[in-house]
Amino acid sequence: MEKDILQEDAQIIVIILIAILVLLVMAGALILFFFFSRKKISNAELEKATLALAYQKELLHTTIETQEKERKRIAQDLHDAISSKLNVVSLSTNVLIDGQIEQEEEKETLHRILDITTNTLESSRRLAHNLLPPILENFGLQAAIEELCDEFSSSKKVTVSYDISYQDSLSKNDELHLFRILQELLNNSVRHGKASSVDLTITDTDVLSLHYVDNGTGFDINLVGKNKGIGLKNIESRVEILEGSIDYHSTPGQGAEFNISITHS
């Protein structure tokens, strides 16, 4: 009888030990599962952070590259449109000061100085307009965009049709970014795309939406994805600053289409 009881107790102890062992194995398995899962999540988060950092570096690089390009352009414009002309004025003035020319030649020199200074004033106004359009500051974004479109149309190189409904939803700084985006789009359409017509629509409700289409030569989306030009990088950088989204479609020989959306802050 006692032997049977001892055997039963031994079996119970074995069962308990097996149960404890099973629980320990399960606990170990759970610990390993959570460890590797957490490690996988950490790796994914690290990879995501690395990609975000790389994107921010690229964005910063693009912004700096754009700024340097603008500085070079402004410096070249100042040299070509102002410095060189003022140098001619200086030389002509020295000739007048010497007083060793005939009256008729003196009159011609004065007229030449007047023409040069008039052209220089016009060039300086144009440079100031390109840096910060007065109409944008004084009359707002819609008027500035309409004037920009009309200026391109008046060049006879392209016809720009527009339908703009803007509700003053952006800050002045953000308005300048959007203006520069459109300026870049138009420049690309004319210079690179050789477009003859552009259609622009801007609506401003809960989201500001810009729809832009040209009939230019277009481009290969796959090639652009690998090697974006400074113009497209500049546009994407400004959209990123505006915390907006952009998508574009194009086929060689069939123009280009851009859609930009900016949610009101």
Side-chain angles (χ1 to χ4, degrees), residues 232-243:
L232 187 53
K233 285 183 179 179
N234 185 22
I235 291 170
E236 291 184 337
S237 295
R238 291 187 186 276
V239 171
E240 178 69 19
I241 291 170
L242 292 169
E243 297 182 350

Side-chain angles (χ1 to χ4, degrees), residues 141-150 164 178-179 182 200 202:
L141 179 63
Q142 179 157 337
I145 290 177
E146 289 174 351
E147 181 186 64
L148 178 66
C149 293
D150 291 339
I164 304 170
L178 188 61
F179 181 83
L182 183 56
L200 169 68
I202 295 178

Side-chain angles (χ1 to χ4, degrees), residues 97-108:
I97 291 173
D98 290 341
Q100 298 179 359
I101 58 175
E102 299 293 331
Q103 185 175 359
E104 186 64 29
E105 189 177 353
E106 180 180 325
K107 188 176 181 181
E108 290 178 0

Side-chain angles (χ1 to χ4, degrees), residues 26-149:
M26 291 177 63
L30 285 172
I31 291 171
L32 289 173
F33 173 77
F34 284 117
F35 173 78
F36 286 110
S37 296
R38 183 58 188 169
K39 187 176 180 181
K40 187 176 181 180
I41 293 171
S42 298
N43 289 338
E45 290 176 348
L46 180 61
E47 184 178 357
K48 184 178 179 181
T50 303
L51 289 173
L53 182 60
Y55 178 76
Q56 290 298 324
K57 286 182 178 179
E58 182 182 358
L59 180 62
L60 179 61
H61 176 75
T62 300
T63 302
I64 293 173
E65 191 177 358
T66 301
Q67 289 175 345
E68 287 301 315
K69 182 184 177 184
E70 281 295 298
R71 289 191 183 101
K72 289 179 182 178
R73 183 187 63 78
I74 293 168
Q76 188 65 44
D77 286 346
L78 285 171
H79 178 269
D80 295 343
I82 296 179
S83 297
S84 59
K85 291 180 180 179
L86 289 178
N87 187 48
V88 174
V89 170
S90 177
L91 292 172
S92 299
T93 304
N94 285 328
V95 171
L96 291 175
I97 291 173
D98 290 341
Q100 298 179 359
I101 58 175
E102 299 293 331
Q103 185 175 359
E104 186 64 29
E105 189 177 353
E106 180 180 325
K107 188 176 181 181
E108 290 178 0
T109 302
L110 287 170
H111 279 296
R112 184 164 62 251
I113 290 174
L114 180 61
D115 289 339
I116 292 173
T117 53
T118 300
N119 290 334
T120 302
L121 282 171
E122 181 61 33
S123 296
S124 65
R125 290 193 192 99
R126 187 175 66 253
L127 283 170
H129 182 277
N130 288 334
L131 289 173
L132 182 62
I135 191 171
L136 178 61
E137 184 69 23
N138 297 327
F139 299 100
L141 179 63
Q142 179 157 337
I145 290 177
E146 289 174 351
E147 181 186 64
L148 178 66
C149 293

Side-chain angles (χ1 to χ4, degrees), residues 149 152-160 186 189-190 195-198 215:
C149 293
F152 271 85
S153 292
S154 66
S155 70
K156 307 301 181 183
K157 292 182 179 180
V158 63
T159 300
V160 183
L186 287 166
S189 291
V190 174
S196 61
S197 71
V198 169
N215 69 340

